[in-house]
């Protein structure tokens, strides 16, 4: 693979330093279709059903790299590295001829999102250049780091957002001009989204983007664990090196506001009856004899007034709200800002999971984090567990806490649309 970062170390900057790279991309003549080799990000795939569906879509689906399947972690990582090496030698994946930044477009009906993909110089949270807003699980970071070491590649871009100033020059202008040209690739995935990708290689346009982005800071919208992985691996390699940079998609949310959705919880070993019984005298519990869409409407209405959750898994829906104030005062850390203390995710993790249900939040044996609402309910009903459906947090709350340096409980939000994995990769080996 080719070295994907600058050849010489550059001075530290105060803003976003985005660097061109030689993208690794599928050769459309060597795969069934570009749509068949793409995948959602690794942590959005509902396993095992979604994983099996992706594996059967095409023998070269990117899921074989981002979620390799084998008996042990070491074997899985070795398999991913061998698969990537084989696809490169066979020409399934090829390296673009010259470094560039990549304009990426997603469209679904009236929804349009455009951003720029590049190799971003890594920075610490204390630098206030890239702001995380969620905690991470150490075992997930360790897993992703082992996979990235084995493959020497950034296999999928993180989603970062920044707030442009509405100017008609700079990144926004280059993106709009580029989108008028024929794309490198165009495909429509099974979810109905169309995807288009362009390479920006003209030195003047690259400089226009880079100069503009140096004035901005970014919020991690999706990919906290991969960002933490980038930082861990950077520390393992003497600088300067390609590990000083990580693959990201930057989206200006002034022009293209993201959707914010909730990430739900599946409690594998807690039946709904036991979950509800433990809530006596601490929350109000109401049985809802309605279908899922109506139950979600009830959750939204209750969340407008305070903390609220929707429990499912026994064929019905149960609205849980109005927590006992004294219980919250005893179970939620007082040293955090009120905006953090009142989050549904805070109450769920500190009060429900830790204090009432006694469920470890970082144990895959006990809890799964699932983005799809219907899938969460169906898996709970099939497995005899409890689905805890959440209401999304407003983006303004997320950004305000991040600027204060306050991280939210892990898996608190799901920003989207997320970039499809498999459209462009970044190799890090010389």
């Amino acid at each position: 693979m080719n070295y994907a970062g600058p050849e010489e170390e550059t001075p530290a900057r105060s803003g976003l330093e985005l660097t061109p790279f030689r993208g690794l991309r599928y050769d459309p003549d060597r795969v069934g279709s570009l749509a068949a080799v793409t995948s959602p990000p690794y942590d959005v795939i509902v396993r095992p059903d979604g994983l099996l569906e992706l594996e059967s879509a095409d023998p070269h689906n990117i899921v074989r790299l981002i979620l390799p399947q084998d008996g042990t972690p070491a074997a899985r990582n070795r398999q991913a590295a061998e698969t990537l090496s084989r696809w490169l030698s066979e020409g399934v994946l090829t390296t673009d001829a010259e470094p560039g930044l990549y304009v990426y477009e997603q469209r679904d009906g009236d929804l349009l999102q455009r951003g720029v993909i590049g190799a971003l110089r890594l920075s610490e949270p204390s630098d206030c250049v890239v702001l995380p807003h969620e905690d991470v699980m150490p075992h997930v970071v360790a897993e992703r780091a082992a996979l990235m070491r084995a493959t020497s590649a950034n296999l999928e871009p993180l989603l970062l957002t920044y707030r442009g100033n509405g100017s008609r020059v700079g990144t926004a202008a280059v993106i709009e001009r580029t989108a008028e040209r024929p794309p490198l690739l165009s495909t429509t995935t099974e979810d109905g989204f169309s995807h288009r990708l362009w390479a920006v290689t003209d030195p003047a346009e690259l400089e226009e983007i880079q100069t503009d982005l140096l004035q901005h800071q970014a919020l991690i919208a999706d990919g906290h664990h991969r960002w933490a992985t980038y930082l861990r691996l950077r520390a393992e390699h003497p600088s300067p090196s390609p590990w000083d940079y990580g693959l990201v998609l930057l989206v200006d949310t002034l022009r293209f506001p993201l959707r914010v959705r909730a990430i739900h919880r599946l409690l594998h070993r807690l039946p709904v009856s036991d979950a509800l019984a433990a809530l006596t005298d601490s929350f109000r519990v109401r049985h809802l004899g309605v279908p899922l869409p109506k139950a979600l409407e009830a959750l939204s209405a209750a969340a407008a007034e305070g903390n609220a959750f929707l429990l499912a898994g026994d064929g019905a829906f149960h609205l849980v709200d109005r927590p006992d104030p004294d219980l919250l005062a005893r179970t939620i850390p007082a040293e955090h800002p009120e905006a953090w203390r009142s989050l549904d995710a805070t109450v769920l993790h500190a009060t429900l999971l830790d204090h009432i249900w006694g469920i470890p939040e970082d144990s895959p044996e006990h809890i799964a984090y699932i983005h799809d609402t219907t899938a969460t309910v169906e898996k709970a009903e099939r497995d005899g567990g409890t689905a805890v459906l959440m209401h999304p947090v407003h983006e303004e709350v997320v950004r305000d806490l991040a600027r204060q340096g306050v991280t939210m409980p892990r898996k608190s939000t799901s920003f989207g649309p997320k970039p499809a994995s498999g459209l462009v990769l970044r190799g890090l080996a010389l």
Side-chain angles (χ1 to χ4, degrees):
M1 280 181 252
N2 292 293
Y3 178 50
E7 295 182 358
E8 297 181 0
E9 187 174 15
T10 54
R13 304 286 187 172
S14 59
L16 300 167
E17 185 179 331
L18 197 66
T19 302
F21 69 103
R22 294 177 65 196
L24 299 177
R25 296 188 296 110
Y26 281 100
D27 181 344
D29 294 331
R30 300 298 302 272
V31 297
S33 74
L34 289 174
V37 295
T38 63
S39 162
Y42 80 97
D43 57 341
V44 179
I45 298 168
V46 179
R47 290 165 261 184
D49 299 347
L51 179 63
L52 294 174
E53 181 179 343
L54 290 165
E55 286 181 328
S56 62
D58 189 283
H60 300 109
N61 189 283
I62 191 68
V63 76
R64 287 178 167 80
L65 300 182
I66 63 175
L67 281 178
Q69 299 300 296
D70 211 316
T72 66
R76 289 193 288 272
N77 296 331
R78 184 168 57 251
Q79 180 188 105
E82 292 172 352
T83 299
L84 178 56
S85 178
R86 185 174 67 254
W87 289 357
L88 288 167
S89 64
E90 294 174 350
V92 173
L93 284 170
T94 60
T95 307
D96 283 340
E98 56 183 320
L101 299 176
Y102 295 84
V103 170
Y104 175 45
E105 176 189 279
Q106 295 162 275
R107 187 188 294 268
D108 181 24
D110 294 334
L111 188 151
L112 172 66
Q113 178 172 290
R114 288 176 179 152
V116 60
I117 296 174
L120 182 68
R121 179 179 283 274
L122 304 180
S123 60
E124 298 293 338
S126 59
D127 297 329
C128 296
V129 175
V130 175
L131 305 176
H133 70 268
E134 288 185 357
D135 291 330
V136 297
M137 292 174 274
H139 76 275
V140 176
V141 175
E143 290 171 0
R144 302 322 291 180
L147 176 64
M148 210 174 292
R149 284 191 206 99
T151 57
S152 290
N154 296 156
L155 300 172
E156 45 187 348
L158 283 64
L159 174 60
L160 273 59
T161 71
Y162 68 100
R163 299 286 289 179
N165 55 16
S167 172
R168 295 185 178 274
V169 298
T171 307
V174 175
I175 287 175
E176 296 309 311
R177 291 198 303 268
T178 302
E180 296 175 356
R181 306 167 187 163
L184 285 176
L185 63 85
S186 178
T187 189
T188 300
T189 46
E190 191 177 61
D191 59 6
F193 271 89
S194 65
H195 307 261
R196 296 198 295 170
L197 189 77
W198 297 260
V200 178
T201 57
D202 178 80
E205 291 191 320
L206 291 174
E207 184 179 2
E208 189 173 354
I209 291 174
Q210 292 172 307
T211 301
D212 176 42
L213 290 177
L214 282 171
Q215 306 172 49
H216 297 288
Q217 65 177 185
L219 175 74
I220 301 177
D222 185 67
H224 283 82
H225 289 90
R226 283 167 285 167
W227 182 259
T229 299
Y230 288 169
L231 295 178
R232 173 180 292 193
L233 295 175
R234 179 187 63 172
E236 296 176 4
H237 296 82
S239 184
S241 83
W243 300 91
D244 294 338
Y245 299 78
L247 186 64
V248 305
L249 165 64
L250 282 164
V251 174
D252 177 1
T253 53
L254 182 68
R255 296 177 64 84
F256 304 106
L258 269 63
R259 297 180 305 193
V260 186
R261 293 178 174 174
I263 302 176
H264 310 297
R265 276 65 170 163
L266 174 60
L267 311 180
H268 297 296
R269 299 182 178 181
L270 181 67
V272 176
S273 57
D274 292 349
L276 294 173
L279 300 181
T280 304
D281 299 328
S282 57
F283 285 79
R284 180 176 70 171
V285 179
R286 287 177 286 167
H287 173 80
L288 304 178
V290 297
L292 177 58
K294 290 294 184 182
L296 291 174
E297 290 178 7
L299 172 63
S300 179
E305 300 180 2
N307 301 119
F309 312 91
L310 196 62
L311 271 55
D314 59 353
F317 297 101
H318 311 271
L319 185 61
V320 175
D321 64 355
R322 296 189 181 180
D324 174 34
D326 291 336
L327 175 64
L328 297 184
R330 293 196 310 270
T331 56
I332 296 178
E335 65 271 15
H336 290 275
E338 175 59 27
W340 182 91
R341 300 181 77 248
S342 61
L343 291 169
D344 288 340
T346 299
V347 174
L348 172 63
H349 284 260
T351 305
L352 287 170
L353 292 178
D354 186 33
H355 181 77
I356 294 180
W357 292 330
I359 294 175
E361 59 179 312
D362 58 354
S363 171
E365 296 179 359
H366 292 86
I367 186 169
Y369 299 84
I370 304 178
H371 294 70
D372 185 87
T373 306
T374 302
T376 310
V377 174
E378 290 177 348
K379 286 182 69 65
E381 292 178 345
R382 184 168 63 244
D383 301 340
T386 295
V388 182
L389 306 183
M390 309 280 289
H391 187 69
V393 182
H394 291 295
E395 181 182 356
E396 294 78 11
V397 174
V398 176
R399 194 175 294 274
D400 183 59
L401 286 172
R403 284 174 175 156
Q404 297 179 54
V406 178
T407 54
M408 299 168 64
R410 58 199 61 171
K411 299 294 183 181
S412 295
T413 56
S414 175
F415 284 88
K418 305 178 189 302
S421 299
L423 295 180
V424 62
L425 293 66
R426 173 178 175 253
L428 288 92
L430 289 170

